[in-house]
Amino acid sequence: DQQVKQNSPSLSVQEGRISILNCDYTNSMFDYFLWYKKYPAEGPTFLISISSIKDKNEDGRFTVFLNKSAKHLSLHIVPSQPGDSAVYFCAAMGTTSGTYKYIFGTGTRLKVLA
Amino acid sequence: DGGITQSPKYLFRKEGQNVTLSCEQNLNHDAMYWYRQDPGQGLRLIYYSQIVNDFQKGDIAEGYSVSREKKESFPLTVTSAQKNPTAFYLCASSIGSVGQPQHFGDGTRLSIL
């Protein structure tokens, strides 16, 4: 059962425009949500996170929004740049028997067109 | 520079062989994780360890084994019991506190000859 879902496998955006990546989750007990960026043949790198008690977190061009009632979060990239082309994973963090675990979505491939 | 080192980057295995993937970190992180990534799928958790000499099975532990004898090292052995071992394997570490992100290595791609 997929607890974290990214329903769009790919997204193309023109350079300078906004990129919006979406993520849905099913478990209301998650404590934190994180976004990672991954280039081919490399490991994911952390981008931005948000606590479950907040609804927005911003870091430069990246903003994450959390809608707890809808169990939905989104990552906004403004303005989009060609270097942003990568696969983006959302992840949810929760505890199981006192141990922190991260559950990842399947990823969205973003292509920013010059 | 602190980070996570996975080796080798590419690994080939014959049918019936065990192979061990190395993961070393110098971030002084307590928690370490192994994930498997297949095409079109997210990262699936194989094993994780919160402290030295202790580890737990993740969602897809069958056919894999780990050890955590040192804080810096968390090797993964892919045994002959793993029927479909061809995949991209990622090691990660974290401080182990709520809200702290994981840091990932660059992965090992395992292929069966």
Coordinates of all heavy atoms in Angstrom, one line a residue, chain B residues 25-111:
Chain B
Q25 N 30.3 6.4 6.3 CA 30.0 7.8 6.5 C 30.9 8.5 7.6 O 31.3 7.8 8.5 CB 28.5 8.0 6.9 CG 28.1 7.2 8.1 CD 27.9 8.0 9.4 OE1 28.3 9.2 9.4 NE2 27.5 7.4 10.5
N26 N 31.3 9.7 7.4 CA 32.1 10.4 8.4 C 31.3 11.7 8.9 O 31.9 12.7 9.2 CB 33.4 10.8 7.8 CG 33.3 11.7 6.5 OD1 32.2 12.1 6.2 ND2 34.4 12.0 5.9
L27 N 30.0 11.6 8.9 CA 29.2 12.7 9.4 C 28.8 12.5 10.9 O 28.1 13.4 11.4 CB 27.9 12.7 8.6 CG 28.0 12.9 7.1 CD1 26.8 12.5 6.3 CD2 28.4 14.3 6.8
N28 N 29.3 11.5 11.5 CA 29.0 11.2 12.9 C 27.5 11.0 13.1 O 27.0 11.3 14.2 CB 29.5 12.3 13.8 CG 29.7 11.8 15.2 OD1 30.0 10.6 15.5 ND2 29.5 12.7 16.2
H29 N 26.8 10.4 12.1 CA 25.4 10.2 12.2 C 25.2 8.9 12.9 O 25.9 7.9 12.7 CB 24.8 10.1 10.9 CG 24.6 11.5 10.2 ND1 24.2 11.7 8.9 CD2 24.7 12.7 10.8 CE1 24.1 13.0 8.7 NE2 24.4 13.6 9.8
D30 N 24.1 8.8 13.8 CA 23.8 7.6 14.5 C 23.0 6.6 13.6 O 23.2 5.4 13.6 CB 22.9 7.9 15.7 CG 23.8 8.5 16.8 OD1 24.9 8.0 17.1 OD2 23.3 9.5 17.4
A31 N 22.1 7.1 12.7 CA 21.2 6.3 12.0 C 21.7 6.1 10.5 O 22.3 7.0 9.9 CB 19.8 6.9 11.9
M32 N 21.6 4.8 10.1 CA 22.0 4.5 8.7 C 20.9 3.6 8.1 O 20.2 2.9 8.8 CB 23.4 3.8 8.6 CG 24.5 4.8 9.1 SD 26.2 4.1 8.9 CE 26.4 4.3 7.1
Y33 N 20.8 3.7 6.7 CA 19.7 3.1 6.0 C 20.2 2.5 4.7 O 21.1 3.1 4.1 CB 18.6 4.1 5.7 CG 18.1 4.9 6.8 CD1 18.9 6.0 7.3 CD2 16.9 4.7 7.5 CE1 18.4 6.8 8.4 CE2 16.4 5.4 8.5 CZ 17.2 6.5 9.0 OH 16.8 7.3 10.0
W34 N 19.6 1.5 4.2 CA 19.8 1.0 2.9 C 18.4 1.0 2.1 O 17.4 0.5 2.7 CB 20.3 -0.4 2.9 CG 21.8 -0.5 3.0 CD1 22.6 -0.8 4.1 CD2 22.8 -0.2 1.9 NE1 23.9 -0.8 3.8 CE2 24.0 -0.4 2.5 CE3 22.6 0.1 0.6 CZ2 25.2 -0.3 1.7 CZ3 23.7 0.3 -0.2 CH2 25.0 0.1 0.4
Y35 N 18.5 1.5 0.9 CA 17.3 1.5 0.0 C 17.6 0.9 -1.3 O 18.8 0.8 -1.7 CB 16.9 3.0 -0.3 CG 16.3 3.7 0.9 CD1 17.2 4.5 1.7 CD2 15.0 3.7 1.2 CE1 16.7 5.2 2.8 CE2 14.5 4.5 2.3 CZ 15.4 5.2 3.1 OH 14.9 5.9 4.1
R36 N 16.6 0.4 -1.9 CA 16.7 -0.1 -3.3 C 15.8 0.7 -4.2 O 14.6 1.0 -3.8 CB 16.2 -1.6 -3.2 CG 16.0 -2.2 -4.6 CD 15.5 -3.6 -4.5 NE 15.2 -4.1 -5.9 CZ 15.4 -5.3 -6.3 NH1 16.0 -6.2 -5.5 NH2 15.1 -5.6 -7.5
Q37 N 16.3 1.1 -5.3 CA 15.5 1.8 -6.3 C 15.4 1.0 -7.6 O 16.4 0.7 -8.2 CB 16.0 3.2 -6.6 CG 15.1 4.0 -7.5 CD 15.7 5.3 -7.9 OE1 16.9 5.6 -7.8 NE2 14.9 6.2 -8.4
D38 N 14.2 0.8 -8.0 CA 13.9 0.1 -9.3 C 13.3 1.2 -10.3 O 12.6 2.1 -9.8 CB 13.0 -1.1 -9.1 CG 13.7 -2.2 -8.4 OD1 14.6 -2.9 -8.9 OD2 13.4 -2.3 -7.2
P39 N 13.4 1.0 -11.6 CA 12.8 1.9 -12.5 C 11.3 2.2 -12.2 O 10.5 1.3 -12.1 CB 13.0 1.2 -13.9 CG 14.2 0.4 -13.7 CD 14.1 -0.1 -12.3
G40 N 11.0 3.5 -12.2 CA 9.6 3.8 -12.0 C 9.1 3.7 -10.6 O 7.9 3.8 -10.3
Q41 N 10.0 3.3 -9.7 CA 9.5 3.1 -8.3 C 10.3 4.1 -7.4 O 11.4 4.6 -7.7 CB 9.7 1.7 -7.9 CG 8.9 0.7 -8.7 CD 8.8 -0.7 -7.9 OE1 8.8 -0.7 -6.7 NE2 8.8 -1.7 -8.7
G42 N 9.7 4.3 -6.2 CA 10.4 5.1 -5.2 C 11.5 4.3 -4.5 O 11.8 3.2 -5.0
L43 N 12.0 4.9 -3.5 CA 13.1 4.2 -2.7 C 12.4 3.3 -1.7 O 11.5 3.7 -0.9 CB 13.9 5.2 -2.0 CG 15.0 5.9 -2.8 CD1 14.4 6.8 -3.9 CD2 15.8 6.8 -1.8
R44 N 12.7 2.0 -1.7 CA 12.1 1.1 -0.8 C 13.2 0.7 0.2 O 14.3 0.3 -0.1 CB 11.6 -0.2 -1.6 CG 10.4 0.2 -2.5 CD 9.9 -1.1 -3.1 NE 10.8 -1.6 -4.1 CZ 10.6 -2.9 -4.6 NH1 9.7 -3.7 -4.2 NH2 11.5 -3.3 -5.5
L45 N 12.8 0.7 1.5 CA 13.7 0.5 2.6 C 14.0 -1.0 2.8 O 13.1 -1.8 2.9 CB 13.1 1.0 3.9 CG 13.9 1.0 5.2 CD1 15.2 1.8 5.0 CD2 13.1 1.4 6.4
I46 N 15.3 -1.3 2.8 CA 15.7 -2.7 3.0 C 16.1 -3.0 4.5 O 15.5 -3.9 5.1 CB 17.0 -3.0 2.2 CG1 16.8 -2.7 0.7 CG2 17.4 -4.5 2.3 CD1 18.0 -2.8 -0.2
Y47 N 17.0 -2.2 5.0 CA 17.3 -2.3 6.4 C 17.7 -1.0 7.0 O 18.1 -0.1 6.2 CB 18.6 -3.2 6.6 CG 18.3 -4.7 6.9 CD1 18.4 -5.6 5.8 CD2 18.1 -5.2 8.1 CE1 18.1 -7.0 6.0 CE2 17.8 -6.5 8.4 CZ 17.9 -7.4 7.3 OH 17.6 -8.8 7.5
Y48 N 17.6 -0.8 8.3 CA 18.0 0.4 8.9 C 18.6 0.1 10.3 O 18.3 -0.9 10.9 CB 16.9 1.5 9.0 CG 15.7 1.1 9.8 CD1 15.5 1.5 11.0 CD2 14.7 0.3 9.2 CE1 14.4 1.2 11.8 CE2 13.6 -0.1 9.9 CZ 13.4 0.4 11.2 OH 12.3 0.0 11.9
S49 N 19.4 1.1 10.7 CA 20.1 0.9 12.0 C 20.1 2.2 12.7 O 20.5 3.3 12.2 CB 21.6 0.4 11.8 OG 22.3 0.5 13.0
Q50 N 19.7 2.3 14.0 CA 19.7 3.5 14.7 C 20.9 3.7 15.6 O 21.3 4.8 15.9 CB 18.4 3.5 15.7 CG 17.1 3.5 14.9 CD 16.8 4.9 14.3 OE1 16.9 5.0 13.1 NE2 16.5 5.9 15.1
I51 N 21.5 2.6 16.0 CA 22.8 2.6 16.8 C 23.6 1.4 16.4 O 23.2 0.5 15.8 CB 22.5 2.6 18.3 CG1 21.6 1.3 18.6 CG2 21.8 3.8 18.8 CD1 21.5 1.1 20.1
V52 N 24.9 1.5 16.9 CA 25.8 0.4 16.6 C 25.3 -0.9 17.2 O 24.7 -0.9 18.3 CB 27.2 0.8 17.2 CG1 28.2 -0.4 17.1 CG2 27.8 2.0 16.5
N53 N 25.6 -2.0 16.5 CA 25.2 -3.4 16.9 C 23.7 -3.6 17.0 O 23.2 -4.5 17.7 CB 25.8 -3.7 18.3 CG 27.3 -3.9 18.2 OD1 27.8 -4.4 17.2 ND2 28.1 -3.4 19.2
D54 N 22.9 -2.7 16.3 CA 21.5 -2.9 16.3 C 21.0 -2.5 14.9 O 21.4 -1.5 14.4 CB 20.8 -2.1 17.4 CG 19.3 -2.4 17.5 OD1 19.0 -3.6 17.4 OD2 18.5 -1.5 17.6
F55 N 20.1 -3.3 14.4 CA 19.5 -3.0 13.1 C 18.1 -3.7 13.0 O 17.8 -4.7 13.7 CB 20.4 -3.4 11.9 CG 20.9 -4.8 12.0 CD1 20.2 -5.8 11.5 CD2 22.2 -5.0 12.5 CE1 20.7 -7.1 11.6 CE2 22.7 -6.3 12.5 CZ 22.0 -7.4 12.1
Q56 N 17.3 -3.1 12.1 CA 15.9 -3.6 11.9 C 15.6 -3.9 10.4 O 16.2 -3.1 9.6 CB 14.9 -2.7 12.5 CG 14.8 -2.6 14.0 CD 15.9 -1.7 14.5 OE1 16.2 -0.7 14.0 NE2 16.5 -2.1 15.6
K57 N 14.8 -4.8 10.2 CA 14.3 -5.0 8.8 C 13.4 -3.9 8.3 O 12.6 -3.4 9.1 CB 13.6 -6.4 8.7 CG 14.4 -7.6 8.9 CD 13.6 -8.9 8.8 CE 14.5 -10.1 9.0 NZ 13.7 -11.3 8.9
G58 N 13.6 -3.6 7.1 CA 12.7 -2.6 6.4 C 11.6 -3.4 5.7 O 11.2 -4.5 6.1
D59 N 11.1 -2.8 4.6 CA 9.9 -3.4 3.9 C 10.3 -4.5 3.0 O 9.4 -5.3 2.7 CB 9.2 -2.3 3.1 CG 8.8 -1.1 4.0 OD1 8.3 -1.4 5.1 OD2 9.0 0.1 3.6
I60 N 11.6 -4.6 2.6 CA 11.9 -5.6 1.6 C 13.2 -6.3 2.0 O 14.1 -6.4 1.2 CB 12.0 -5.0 0.2 CG1 13.0 -3.8 0.1 CG2 10.7 -4.6 -0.3 CD1 13.4 -3.4 -1.3
A61 N 13.3 -6.8 3.2 CA 14.6 -7.3 3.8 C 14.9 -8.7 3.3 O 16.1 -9.2 3.4 CB 14.5 -7.3 5.3
E62 N 14.0 -9.4 2.7 CA 14.3 -10.8 2.3 C 15.4 -10.9 1.3 O 15.3 -10.3 0.3 CB 13.0 -11.5 1.8 CG 13.2 -13.0 1.5 CD 11.9 -13.6 1.1 OE1 10.8 -13.0 1.2 OE2 11.9 -14.8 0.6
G63 N 16.4 -11.8 1.6 CA 17.5 -12.0 0.6 C 18.6 -11.0 0.9 O 19.6 -11.0 0.1
Y64 N 18.5 -10.2 1.9 CA 19.6 -9.2 2.3 C 20.0 -9.4 3.7 O 19.2 -9.9 4.5 CB 19.1 -7.8 2.1 CG 18.6 -7.4 0.7 CD1 17.3 -7.4 0.4 CD2 19.6 -7.0 -0.2 CE1 16.9 -7.1 -0.9 CE2 19.2 -6.6 -1.5 CZ 17.8 -6.7 -1.8 OH 17.4 -6.3 -3.1
S65 N 21.2 -9.0 4.0 CA 21.7 -9.0 5.4 C 22.6 -7.8 5.6 O 23.2 -7.3 4.6 CB 22.4 -10.3 5.8 OG 23.6 -10.4 5.0
V66 N 22.7 -7.3 6.8 CA 23.5 -6.2 7.2 C 24.3 -6.4 8.5 O 24.0 -7.4 9.2 CB 22.7 -4.9 7.3 CG1 22.1 -4.5 6.0 CG2 21.6 -5.0 8.4
S67 N 25.2 -5.6 8.8 CA 25.9 -5.5 10.0 C 26.2 -4.1 10.4 O 26.3 -3.2 9.5 CB 27.2 -6.4 10.0 OG 28.1 -5.8 9.1
R68 N 26.3 -3.8 11.7 CA 26.6 -2.4 12.1 C 27.6 -2.6 13.3 O 27.3 -2.3 14.4 CB 25.4 -1.7 12.5 CG 25.6 -0.2 12.8 CD 25.6 0.7 11.7 NE 26.0 2.0 11.9 CZ 25.2 3.0 12.4 NH1 24.0 2.7 12.7 NH2 25.7 4.2 12.5
E69 N 28.8 -2.9 13.0 CA 29.9 -3.1 14.0 C 30.5 -1.8 14.4 O 31.1 -1.7 15.5 CB 30.9 -4.1 13.5 CG 30.3 -5.5 13.3 CD 31.3 -6.5 12.7 OE1 32.5 -6.1 12.6 OE2 30.9 -7.6 12.5
K70 N 30.5 -0.8 13.5 CA 31.1 0.5 13.7 C 30.0 1.6 13.3 O 29.2 1.4 12.4 CB 32.3 0.7 12.9 CG 33.5 -0.3 13.2 CD 34.7 0.1 12.4 CE 34.5 0.1 10.9 NZ 35.7 0.5 10.2
K71 N 30.1 2.7 14.0 CA 29.2 3.8 13.7 C 29.3 4.2 12.3 O 28.3 4.6 11.6 CB 29.5 4.9 14.7 CG 28.5 6.1 14.6 CD 28.8 7.1 15.7 CE 27.7 8.2 15.7 NZ 28.0 9.2 16.8
E72 N 30.5 4.2 11.7 CA 30.8 4.7 10.4 C 30.4 3.8 9.3 O 30.3 4.2 8.1 CB 32.3 5.1 10.2 CG 32.9 6.0 11.3 CD 33.2 5.3 12.6 OE1 33.3 4.1 12.6 OE2 33.2 6.0 13.6
S73 N 30.2 2.5 9.5 CA 30.0 1.6 8.5 C 28.7 0.7 8.6 O 28.4 0.3 9.7 CB 31.2 0.6 8.5 OG 31.2 -0.3 7.5
F74 N 28.1 0.5 7.4 CA 26.9 -0.2 7.4 C 26.8 -1.0 6.1 O 26.1 -0.7 5.2 CB 25.7 0.7 7.5 CG 24.3 0.1 7.8 CD1 24.2 -1.0 8.6 CD2 23.2 0.6 7.1 CE1 23.0 -1.5 8.9 CE2 21.9 0.0 7.4 CZ 21.8 -1.0 8.3
P75 N 27.6 -2.1 6.0 CA 27.6 -2.9 4.7 C 26.4 -3.7 4.5 O 25.8 -4.2 5.5 CB 28.8 -3.8 4.9 CG 29.0 -3.9 6.4 CD 28.5 -2.6 7.0
L76 N 26.0 -3.8 3.3 CA 24.8 -4.6 2.9 C 25.3 -5.8 2.0 O 26.0 -5.7 1.1 CB 23.9 -3.8 2.0 CG 22.7 -4.5 1.4 CD1 21.6 -4.8 2.4 CD2 22.1 -3.6 0.3
T77 N 24.9 -7.0 2.4 CA 25.1 -8.2 1.6 C 23.9 -8.7 0.9 O 22.8 -8.8 1.5 CB 25.7 -9.4 2.5 OG1 26.9 -9.0 3.1 CG2 25.9 -10.6 1.7
V78 N 24.0 -8.8 -0.4 CA 22.9 -9.3 -1.2 C 23.2 -10.8 -1.4 O 24.2 -11.2 -2.0 CB 22.9 -8.6 -2.6 CG1 21.7 -9.1 -3.4 CG2 22.9 -7.1 -2.4
T79 N 22.4 -11.6 -0.8 CA 22.6 -13.0 -0.8 C 22.0 -13.7 -2.1 O 21.2 -13.1 -2.8 CB 22.1 -13.7 0.4 OG1 20.6 -13.8 0.3 CG2 22.4 -12.9 1.7
S80 N 22.4 -15.0 -2.3 CA 21.8 -15.7 -3.4 C 20.3 -15.9 -3.2 O 19.7 -16.3 -4.2 CB 22.6 -17.0 -3.5 OG 22.5 -17.8 -2.3
A81 N 19.8 -15.7 -2.1 CA 18.4 -15.9 -1.8 C 17.5 -14.7 -2.4 O 16.3 -14.9 -2.5 CB 18.1 -16.0 -0.3
Q82 N 18.2 -13.6 -2.7 CA 17.5 -12.5 -3.4 C 17.3 -12.8 -4.8 O 18.3 -12.8 -5.6 CB 18.3 -11.2 -3.1 CG 17.8 -10.0 -3.9 CD 16.3 -9.7 -3.8 OE1 15.6 -9.7 -4.8 NE2 15.8 -9.6 -2.6
K83 N 16.1 -13.1 -5.2 CA 15.8 -13.6 -6.6 C 15.9 -12.5 -7.7 O 16.1 -12.9 -8.8 CB 14.4 -14.2 -6.6 CG 14.2 -15.4 -5.6 CD 15.3 -16.4 -5.9 CE 15.2 -17.6 -4.9 NZ 16.4 -18.5 -5.0
N84 N 15.7 -11.3 -7.3 CA 15.8 -10.2 -8.3 C 16.7 -9.1 -7.9 O 16.2 -8.0 -7.5 CB 14.4 -9.7 -8.6 CG 14.4 -8.8 -9.8 OD1 15.3 -8.7 -10.6 ND2 13.3 -7.9 -9.8
P85 N 18.0 -9.3 -7.8 CA 18.9 -8.4 -7.1 C 19.3 -7.2 -8.0 O 19.8 -6.2 -7.5 CB 20.1 -9.2 -6.8 CG 20.1 -10.3 -7.8 CD 18.7 -10.6 -8.1
T86 N 19.0 -7.2 -9.3 CA 19.4 -6.2 -10.2 C 18.7 -4.9 -9.9 O 17.4 -4.9 -10.0 CB 19.2 -6.5 -11.7 OG1 20.0 -7.7 -12.0 CG2 19.5 -5.4 -12.6
A87 N 19.4 -3.9 -9.4 CA 18.8 -2.6 -9.0 C 19.9 -1.6 -8.6 O 21.1 -1.9 -8.7 CB 17.9 -2.9 -7.7
F88 N 19.4 -0.4 -8.3 CA 20.3 0.7 -7.8 C 20.1 0.7 -6.3 O 19.0 0.9 -5.8 CB 19.8 2.0 -8.5 CG 20.8 3.1 -8.3 CD1 22.1 3.1 -8.6 CD2 20.3 4.3 -7.8 CE1 22.9 4.1 -8.4 CE2 21.1 5.4 -7.6 CZ 22.4 5.3 -7.9
Y89 N 21.2 0.6 -5.6 CA 21.2 0.6 -4.1 C 21.7 1.9 -3.6 O 22.8 2.3 -3.9 CB 22.0 -0.6 -3.6 CG 21.3 -2.0 -3.9 CD1 21.6 -2.6 -5.1 CD2 20.4 -2.5 -3.1 CE1 21.0 -3.8 -5.5 CE2 19.8 -3.7 -3.4 CZ 20.1 -4.4 -4.6 OH 19.4 -5.6 -4.9
L90 N 21.0 2.4 -2.6 CA 21.4 3.7 -2.0 C 21.5 3.5 -0.5 O 20.6 2.9 0.1 CB 20.3 4.8 -2.3 CG 20.3 5.3 -3.7 CD1 19.0 6.0 -4.0 CD2 21.5 6.3 -3.9
C91 N 22.6 4.1 0.0 CA 22.8 4.1 1.4 C 22.6 5.5 1.9 O 22.9 6.5 1.2 CB 24.2 3.7 1.7 SG 24.7 3.7 3.5
A92 N 22.0 5.7 3.1 CA 21.8 7.0 3.7 C 22.1 7.0 5.1 O 22.1 6.0 5.8 CB 20.4 7.4 3.4
S93 N 22.3 8.2 5.7 CA 22.5 8.4 7.1 C 21.7 9.6 7.6 O 21.4 10.5 6.8 CB 24.0 8.5 7.5 OG 24.5 9.7 7.1
S94 N 21.4 9.7 8.9 CA 20.8 10.8 9.4 C 21.2 10.9 10.9 O 21.7 10.0 11.5 CB 19.3 10.8 9.3 OG 18.7 9.9 10.2
I95 N 21.0 12.1 11.5 CA 21.2 12.3 12.9 C 20.4 11.4 13.7 O 20.7 10.9 14.8 CB 21.0 13.8 13.3 CG1 22.1 14.7 12.6 CG2 21.0 14.0 14.8 CD1 21.9 16.1 12.8
G96 N 19.1 11.1 13.2 CA 18.2 10.2 13.9 C 17.2 11.0 14.8 O 16.6 10.4 15.6
S97 N 17.1 12.3 14.5 CA 16.1 13.0 15.2 C 14.9 13.5 14.3 O 15.1 13.6 13.1 CB 16.7 14.3 15.8 OG 17.7 14.0 16.7
V98 N 13.8 13.8 14.9 CA 12.6 14.1 14.1 C 13.0 15.4 13.2 O 13.6 16.3 13.7 CB 11.4 14.4 15.0 CG1 11.6 15.6 15.9 CG2 10.1 14.5 14.1
G99 N 12.5 15.3 12.0 CA 12.7 16.5 11.1 C 14.1 16.6 10.4 O 14.3 17.4 9.5
Q100 N 15.0 15.7 10.8 CA 16.4 15.8 10.2 C 16.4 15.0 8.9 O 16.0 13.8 8.9 CB 17.4 15.3 11.2 CG 17.5 16.1 12.5 CD 17.9 17.5 12.1 OE1 18.8 17.8 11.3 NE2 17.3 18.5 12.7
P101 N 16.9 15.6 7.9 CA 16.9 14.9 6.6 C 18.0 13.8 6.5 O 19.0 13.8 7.3 CB 17.3 16.0 5.6 CG 18.1 17.0 6.4 CD 17.5 17.0 7.8
Q102 N 17.8 12.9 5.6 CA 18.9 11.9 5.3 C 19.9 12.5 4.3 O 19.5 13.3 3.5 CB 18.2 10.7 4.7 CG 17.3 10.0 5.7 CD 16.6 8.8 5.0 OE1 16.0 9.0 4.0 NE2 16.7 7.6 5.6
H103 N 21.1 12.0 4.5 CA 22.2 12.3 3.5 C 22.4 11.0 2.8 O 22.6 10.0 3.4 CB 23.4 12.8 4.2 CG 23.2 14.1 4.9 ND1 23.8 15.3 4.4 CD2 22.5 14.4 6.0 CE1 23.4 16.3 5.3 NE2 22.7 15.8 6.2
F104 N 22.5 11.1 1.4 CA 22.7 9.9 0.6 C 24.0 9.8 0.0 O 24.7 10.8 -0.3 CB 21.6 9.9 -0.5 CG 20.2 9.5 0.0 CD1 19.4 10.5 0.5 CD2 19.8 8.2 -0.1 CE1 18.1 10.2 0.9 CE2 18.5 7.9 0.3 CZ 17.7 8.9 0.8
G105 N 24.5 8.5 -0.2 CA 25.6 8.3 -1.0 C 25.2 8.3 -2.5 O 24.0 8.5 -2.8
D106 N 26.2 8.1 -3.4 CA 25.9 8.1 -4.8 C 25.4 6.8 -5.4 O 25.2 6.7 -6.6 CB 27.1 8.7 -5.6 CG 27.2 10.2 -5.5 OD1 26.2 10.8 -5.2 OD2 28.3 10.7 -5.7
G107 N 25.3 5.8 -4.6 CA 24.7 4.6 -5.0 C 25.6 3.5 -5.6 O 26.7 3.9 -6.1
T108 N 25.1 2.3 -5.6 CA 25.8 1.2 -6.3 C 24.8 0.5 -7.2 O 23.7 0.2 -6.8 CB 26.3 0.2 -5.3 OG1 27.4 0.7 -4.5 CG2 26.9 -1.1 -6.0
R109 N 25.2 0.4 -8.5 CA 24.3 -0.3 -9.4 C 24.8 -1.8 -9.5 O 25.9 -2.0 -9.9 CB 24.3 0.3 -10.8 CG 23.3 -0.4 -11.8 CD 23.0 0.5 -13.0 NE 22.4 1.8 -12.7 CZ 21.1 1.9 -12.4 NH1 20.3 0.9 -12.4 NH2 20.6 3.1 -12.2
L110 N 23.9 -2.7 -9.1 CA 24.2 -4.1 -9.1 C 23.5 -4.8 -10.3 O 22.3 -4.6 -10.5 CB 23.7 -4.8 -7.8 CG 23.8 -6.3 -7.7 CD1 25.3 -6.7 -7.8 CD2 23.2 -6.8 -6.4
S111 N 24.3 -5.6 -11.1 CA 23.7 -6.3 -12.2 C 24.1 -7.7 -12.1 O 25.2 -8.1 -11.6 CB 24.3 -5.7 -13.5 OG 24.0 -4.3 -13.6

